[in-house]
Structure formats: C-alpha cells, structure tokens
Amino acid sequence: MPLYKNQNIKIYNSLSGEKEEFTPIHEGNVGMYVCGPTVYSNVHLGNVRTFMSFDLIYRYFLHLNYKVRYVRNITDVGHMVDDVDEGEDKIAKKARLEKIEPMEIVQRYTVDFHEILQEFNFLPPSIEPTATGHIIEQIEIVKQILDKGIAYEANGSVYFDVVKFNETNHYGILSGRNIEDMLTNTRDLDGQSDKRNPQDFALWKKAEPEHIMRWPSPWGDGFPGWHLECTAMSTKYLGYKFDIHGGGMDLKFPHHECEIAQNEACTGNTPVNYWMHANMLTLNGKKMAKSTGNNILPREIMTGKSEFLSKPFSPSVARFFMLQAHYRSILDFSDDAIIAAEKGHIRLMEAMSKIGEIQAETASTLDIQAWKKLCYDAMNDDFNSPILISHLFEGVRYINLLTDKSASLNSSDLKDFTQTMNAFVFDVLALQNEAVSGSTFEKLEGVVHLLINMRNEARANKNWQLSDDIRDQLLAIGIQLKDGKEGTTFSI
C-alpha cells in the first residue's frame, strides 16, 4: 500500500488564506506547476530558496509514493523590466547592453540556473518548458479570450479587459484586492497607452522595429505577455484544472492574479486547487538587492568570496540553513546564522555516519513508532521542515543513546528507525554527508593527530592554556576532540 494512504496532508492555500486538507484531483497523482526563472541574470540566493521549497514538497510527495508531474518553466521572453506592460523586455535589454543575441543570454543563464540547482542537490522537474517553445499555444489562448469578448486589439497589441472580466468574475481574488480600489489608486492613462483601463494587461505585445524577439501573429509581429506564458504551459501539461501552483510571494500580484483571470476567461473555471507561495530571503535584516549591494550569490557561499562571509560553506550546509525555516516565513541570512547551521549539519551527519554501526537487541526501550509519527506529522502540516528537523535531532539523541548502549532497539524497530532517518535526511531534505575521504582524509588525520600529541604534551606540562587553545581552534573549524579512557579521538 502506498505511503500516502496513511497520511493526511494539509496545505496553506493562498486563495482561501487557510490550511486545507490536500485531496488530489486524481487519486495517487499530483500535478504541480511552479513559476521558473526569467533567465537574464545569474540566479540569486532568494530564487534558490523559493525553488528549494518546492523541491522539498516535490520530494515529499515522491516519498509518499505519489506519481508527480512537476512542471517548472523557463521564462525566456516577454518579462518586462518593471513587471508591467510598458518598457523593455528583460532579456532583450541585457542582450542590447552586451551586444549579443537574446538567445545567447537565455542559454548562458539557463545553464547557470541548472548548475546552481544541481550543486544544491535539486531534483529536476518532470517537464521544463520554455516560453519561446510555446508561442503557438499562447496565440491560441489569445484568440479564445478575444472570442469571449474579454480582450481587445489595439495597434497590433492585445490587452485583457480587466473591467469587463470583473463584471462576472473577481479580479483580485488571490491577492485580496478590489478592482474599484485599484482603479481609484492608479494614475489615469496619459494618452500614450493603448489600454482602455490602467489595470488591463498585455496578452500580446506589438514588436517595434528595433525589437529582436518577435513572432508572426494574427495581429502582426509581436511577442507574448509575461502572464500568458504560464497559463499556456501549465494547462498544456497539467490540464485546465490541476492541483498545485507555486511561486515566490512577489508573484501573487499581478502575475498569478492574471493567470487566474486568463484561465477563467478561457474555461469558466478556476484553474488551481491550491496556490502556494514561498516567502523571501533577506540579508542581514535587509531586502536583498543588487542595486544596493546588499546581495549574495549562491557561488559566493561556496567560495566564501563575499564581504558578508567569514569562510566558504558547502551547498548542503546552505540547504540545511534554508530548510530550518518554514517556506512561508521570511528567513534572514547572515554569517552567524549559517555558521550555526553548519554546526547543526555536522552534528546531524556525525550521527548519520554512526547509525549503521548500531546493533539490534532483543527488546526496545525507545518508542520509535511515536517518534516516526511526529516526523510525518510535521511534514503533513504544510511541509513544516523546521519541526521535522527538530524531530530528526531527537533521532540524533537516540543514535547517541544506542551507540553508548544506554538504550536498545529490537531488529524490527532498528530497521524502521534507520530507514526513516535516512529517508528524511537524505531523500526528503536532500542533505548530503560530506565526509572527507581518501588521501585528503589521511593527510588531515595525520595533522590532527600531530596536534593531539602537542596537546597531550601541553597537558602533561600543565600548560592548560595551550591545551585549551588547540582544542578550541580545532573546534572552530569543525573538528571536535573527544577525551576518553583510551585517549583522545576526533570527529569532523
């Protein structure tokens, strides 16, 4: 029997503002769409956190034996610089500045995106469609919305008529906005725009003569609106109604609001059962922004080449740091915070390295089933990774008790405990045990033993200061000395 049969998942639905019991449209199957990157620059750490949240969710569904179709797109055209319909396409602007083809920009930063996510141990999505690969589908949707009378053509562009749509539907249902308030608080059109109303948004934009990225359409050469792309790709691969749509909190309005409107205009039905939004990552208490210099890139974490970092950190430590916060919470990144996370990561991996050495006994003195239920309850409660991690550290305590023979497990409980720890640490959280190996470890071991001998000599001479300095400085770089009856050992 699949694991999901015994689990009751609750998801916070941004549409209702409440946690709701998850019931997939088709039993045993999950259809999930997540808005991917606009590939005009290097992926930043905040992007990584958003996609990591949905990688966690994807992994947990797979762990529960759901069959998952996970679609995450690549936006390679149509995303305007100011996230509105006026101005320049982000990719076209970068191409103009660098004097290269837009698709060179797309290729460069798509490769960067994939490389970074691979470093952080992401699973690839089931399908990764591109906006430029679905121009035909987007044109067809524009035709359908025009036929319904909820869009209009103006000077080679096509705009979605928000006011007309709102006569029978609710534009603003996801973000909790009211169309009358939006119209009141928006400046009047200045005569330079082809829109009838300020809130109308582009389905298809006319390409000016200098615009490189252009395709033929019934309304002339142009390119699709940003919001239209996700509607076309999500419905093509998941159907007009699917289970989950995710993205960053910043996409709730206008992007996701416009997606809902487009889908409802075409089909008459709301397209998604559960809308999920991941919160932002800040840096030292401030919003990350390249313009202010308060920004850090994923590769800077790995190299340590940043004014905000005292040393490099592994991708697994960075992943562990981010999963220590719930996906809907704002998370602040700092050097102190990731150093603390590294210590926790080391402690967890040391325990995981010892779990295979535990021997089964005839009786169990630990309640593994109750502990295991707590782990699943945490993930079933809107994918609460920080609570899961707290239970895994209770598992670490169990490992230490079992190793010291202060507790025991029978063979069945030991097998269950080992499988559960491995599943959550390595499969669901996707952490990696980065033990040093081979000749590198032998060299490190030799250096540490030399320092242990120096410390022993200092202790014999009652030079306690030197003895403590050696111990503390090794601990500061993640090497812990342990004094026992048979001498001093170390762990990394």
Side-chain angles (χ1 to χ4, degrees):
M1 185 171 67
L3 277 174
Y4 66 78
K5 291 279 191 180
N6 298 319
Q7 307 303 325
N8 180 26
I9 297 175
K10 289 192 174 180
I11 294 176
Y12 181 87
N13 191 346
S14 298
L15 195 61
S16 66
E18 297 177 352
K19 288 181 186 177
E20 300 176 5
E21 183 175 337
F22 175 67
T23 304
I25 295 170
H26 304 289
E27 184 181 344
N29 294 266
V30 178
M32 182 168 74
Y33 184 90
V34 173
C35 291
T38 301
V39 283
Y40 72 100
S41 66
N42 296 107
V43 60
H44 60 72
L45 201 59
N47 297 141
V48 171
R49 190 208 174 186
T50 295
F51 298 128
M52 188 179 294
S53 298
F54 293 102
D55 183 64
L56 172 76
I57 293 163
Y58 179 34
R59 284 173 173 276
Y60 187 58
F61 279 131
L62 292 175
H63 171 72
L64 295 182
N65 307 126
Y66 278 104
K67 184 178 180 182
V68 186
R69 177 174 289 178
Y70 174 24
V71 183
R72 186 186 66 213
N73 74 295
I74 296 287
T75 293
D76 55 356
V77 68
H79 191 165
M80 297 303 175
V81 172
D82 296 320
D83 293 346
V84 293
D85 292 327
E86 309 304 325
E88 221 174 343
D89 180 289
K90 290 185 175 184
I91 293 165
K93 180 180 179 181
K94 191 66 176 282
R96 179 176 57 78
L97 292 173
E98 297 197 16
K99 297 182 179 178
I100 59 177
E101 282 286 335
M103 282 299 141
E104 290 182 69
I105 295 294
V106 167
Q107 179 68 11
R108 177 192 302 171
Y109 294 115
T110 300
V111 169
D112 172 75
F113 175 68
H114 289 151
E115 288 176 349
I116 291 297
L117 265 54
Q118 189 172 24
E119 288 278 2
F120 282 91
N121 201 24
F122 280 62
L123 290 176
S126 313
I127 304 172
E128 191 175 56
T130 64
T132 56
H134 295 77
I135 298 295
I136 294 173
E137 290 86 350
Q138 292 174 76
I139 289 173
E140 288 303 310
I141 290 174
V142 176
K143 288 179 182 178
Q144 290 177 43
I145 298 175
L146 278 168
D147 288 344
K148 297 286 181 68
I150 308 176
Y152 55 92
E153 181 186 353
N155 192 29
S157 294
V158 180
Y159 295 98
F160 189 96
D161 192 331
V162 170
V163 173
K164 180 70 174 176
F165 171 78
N166 203 62
E167 290 175 2
T168 53
N169 300 74
H170 181 188
Y171 182 77
I173 190 170
L174 180 64
S175 57
R177 303 187 186 206
N178 181 284
I179 186 65
E180 287 79 14
D181 293 338
M182 284 189 274
L183 291 171
T184 300
N185 296 326
T186 305
R187 63 176 176 79
D188 293 332
L189 297 176
D190 57 11
Q192 301 299 312
S193 174
D194 295 317
K195 295 182 184 180
R196 293 176 183 171
N197 304 290
Q199 295 300 327
D200 294 351
F201 58 89
L203 298 172
W204 186 263
K205 284 288 288 182
K206 176 184 178 181
E208 299 302 327
E210 68 275 9
H211 200 95
I212 303 171
M213 303 179 82
R214 57 201 300 137
W215 290 265
S217 80
W219 318 284
D221 283 3
F223 55 94
W226 173 34
H227 314 305
L228 182 66
E229 301 166 3
C230 288
T231 295
M233 290 182 279
S234 62
T235 55
K236 176 168 183 175
Y237 297 109
L238 297 174
Y240 287 127
K241 185 90 170 177
F242 55 96
D243 297 304
I244 296 171
H245 193 314
M249 197 75 75
D250 57 317
L251 298 181
K252 187 183 289 188
F253 186 88
H255 186 52
H256 290 161
E257 199 75 72
C258 294
E259 280 192 64
I260 291 175
Q262 289 166 163
N263 274 277
E264 290 185 352
C266 283
T267 68
N269 296 309
T270 183
V272 179
N273 282 345
Y274 306 89
W275 284 91
M276 301 181 69
H277 292 93
N279 218 323
M280 72 173 70
L281 184 70
T282 57
L283 177 60
N284 294 322
K286 299 177 183 177
K287 183 178 179 181
M288 283 195 188
K290 290 181 182 177
S291 57
T292 63
N294 194 58
N295 185 58
I296 188 167
L297 294 175
R299 282 196 175 86
E300 292 174 331
I301 302 262
M302 295 177 251
T303 63
K305 293 180 180 178
S306 168
E307 61 179 299
F308 300 109
L309 295 173
S310 59
K311 64 179 189 121
F313 296 92
S314 73
S316 188
V317 166
R319 185 177 180 108
F320 180 69
F321 162 75
M322 287 191 255
L323 293 175
Q324 284 182 306
H326 190 267
Y327 76 90
R328 286 192 288 114
S329 301
I330 294 175
L331 174 62
D332 188 54
F333 182 94
S334 69
D335 190 53
D336 288 343
I338 196 168
I339 286 173
E342 184 179 50
K343 291 176 181 176
H345 186 273
I346 290 169
R347 184 175 161 223
L348 180 59
M349 291 308 160
E350 282 182 345
M352 295 307 295
S353 297
K354 294 189 292 185
I355 197 170
E357 301 170 4
I358 299 169
Q359 299 297 313
E361 305 291 343
T362 55
S364 296
T365 60
L366 299 171
D367 191 344
I368 295 304
Q369 294 310 309
W371 166 84
K372 180 179 176 181
K373 183 178 184 302
L374 290 173
C375 292
Y376 279 98
D377 286 349
M379 285 301 289
N380 291 341
D381 183 15
D382 197 28
F383 312 99
N384 202 323
S385 58
I387 299 299
L388 170 64
I389 288 171
S390 72
H391 295 315
L392 293 179
F393 274 102
E394 180 67 2
V396 169
R397 189 176 74 84
Y398 287 0
I399 291 169
N400 291 331
L401 290 172
L402 293 164
T403 302
D404 295 340
K405 304 292 185 180
S406 301
S408 62
L409 291 177
N410 63 34
S411 58
S412 175
D413 281 344
L414 178 58
K415 181 180 178 182
D416 202 8
F417 175 60
T418 302
Q419 288 179 341
T420 303
M421 284 293 291
N422 279 317
F424 279 114
V425 172
F426 299 124
D427 297 339
V428 177
L429 296 181
L431 303 177
Q432 295 175 293
N433 199 341
E434 298 148 335
V436 184
S437 60
S439 60
T440 303
F441 180 79
E442 292 171 5
K443 292 174 183 177
L444 174 62
E445 189 176 33
V447 172
V448 175
H449 281 305
L450 177 63
L451 290 169
I452 288 173
N453 290 336
M454 290 174 61
R455 179 170 175 265
N456 289 339
E457 186 177 342
R459 294 170 77 185
N461 293 330
K462 298 186 178 181
N463 187 347
W464 309 118
Q465 183 64 51
L466 178 58
S467 170
D468 290 347
D469 285 346
I470 292 172
R471 180 199 62 203
D472 294 344
Q473 289 185 41
L474 285 172
L475 184 60
I477 60 171
I479 299 173
Q480 184 175 15
L481 299 184
K482 296 178 182 178
D483 297 317
K485 294 179 180 179
E486 298 180 2
T488 302
T489 59
F490 74 95
S491 61
I492 301 175

